[in-house]
Amino acid sequence: MGISGTKSASTPMEMNLRLTTVEYDTLLQSTDNPLLDDIHSYQQLVGKLIYLTITRLDICFVVQVLSQFMQCPKISHWESAMRMLRYLKKTPGQEVLLKRSSINNLTVFCDVDWASCLNTRRSVAGSLAEAEYKSIAAVVVEVIWTKHIEIDCHFVREKLKDGLIKTEFVSSKLQLQTC
């Protein structure tokens, strides 16, 4: 059954919901949230939601949370993704309209989300002070990305040339799975 006949949701994620990994559940010896049978469908859905964040900024945080479980999604992760779809169903027309014009001023925001990882109790970026700087730096990089991607590319090429790093192609089928 699709979502067309389902009730819409007023928020993209249930309040105070804590989604966890399989490893975390194993530590707690919890078996009440089994793995999702169809991992591929979850990965496809989250991939589409990631693309949608370009114009739907209101879903960025939830999509970031859902994308952390791409390797081993559980039923609770699928249910949260379905709630996101029900939210999108209720809120059409809230996307950011990108018009071709000059931008004189741009206001950006960032959030550190300190110690939010349930598995490690660490922030995504490190210690609090360091995380704040990294969060700000990440926002600045996003704003002026074109210039910085060139610097990143040259940096990586230089390290490859110097022999400090080596890149190898690994087929998706040979990627390590943590399930």
Side-chain angles (χ1 to χ4, degrees):
M1 178 177 132
I3 67 157
S4 60
T6 61
K7 195 175 185 181
S8 59
S10 58
T11 60
M13 182 179 255
E14 189 178 317
M15 189 75 104
N16 298 320
L17 178 67
R18 292 184 167 256
L19 298 172
T20 58
T21 62
V22 174
E23 292 82 11
Y24 185 78
D25 288 350
T26 303
L27 286 173
L28 295 178
Q29 298 179 346
S30 174
T31 58
D32 57 346
N33 190 9
L35 286 174
L36 187 64
D37 289 333
D38 189 1
I39 293 174
H40 183 69
S41 291
Y42 180 82
Q43 292 169 337
Q44 280 187 315
L45 175 56
V46 173
K48 290 174 183 178
L49 290 172
I50 290 169
Y51 182 74
L52 191 57
T53 62
I54 295 169
T55 58
R56 287 295 301 254
L57 304 178
D58 55 329
I59 66 170
C60 288
F61 174 75
V62 177
V63 172
Q64 178 266 333
V65 170
L66 294 174
S67 68
Q68 294 178 16
F69 307 103
M70 295 288 269
Q71 285 293 87
C72 296
K74 298 184 298 183
I75 290 176
S76 62
H77 305 138
W78 178 257
E79 290 169 351
S80 292
M82 290 294 103
R83 181 185 177 99
M84 171 67 73
L85 292 180
R86 293 193 319 274
Y87 170 75
L88 292 170
K89 175 184 170 184
K90 183 175 182 164
T91 57
Q94 288 196 10
E95 65 276 351
V96 174
L97 179 60
L98 303 173
K99 292 183 178 181
R100 187 177 192 177
S101 65
S102 298
I103 298 175
N104 295 328
N105 293 313
L106 182 65
T107 303
V108 295
F109 300 90
C110 60
D111 183 16
V112 177
D113 199 25
W114 184 63
S116 66
C117 180
L118 292 175
N119 300 322
T120 63
R121 299 309 297 161
R122 295 183 191 155
S123 64
V124 175
S127 70
L128 182 58
E130 180 184 345
E132 289 174 352
Y133 277 108
K134 286 190 176 203
S135 179
I136 293 168
V139 168
V140 172
V141 166
E142 285 297 320
V143 171
I144 56 174
W145 181 74
T146 321
K147 180 179 178 182
H148 283 274
I149 191 65
E150 293 174 16
I151 294 169
D152 292 344
C153 290
H154 288 291
F155 175 76
V156 170
R157 283 188 197 134
E158 180 182 305
K159 299 311 171 199
L160 282 165
K161 183 179 171 186
D162 293 345
L164 293 174
I165 62 170
K166 179 181 172 186
T167 60
E168 293 182 19
F169 173 79
V170 178
S171 166
S172 296
K173 293 178 182 177
L174 298 176
Q175 294 285 333
L176 295 176
Q177 299 248 343
T178 59
C179 292

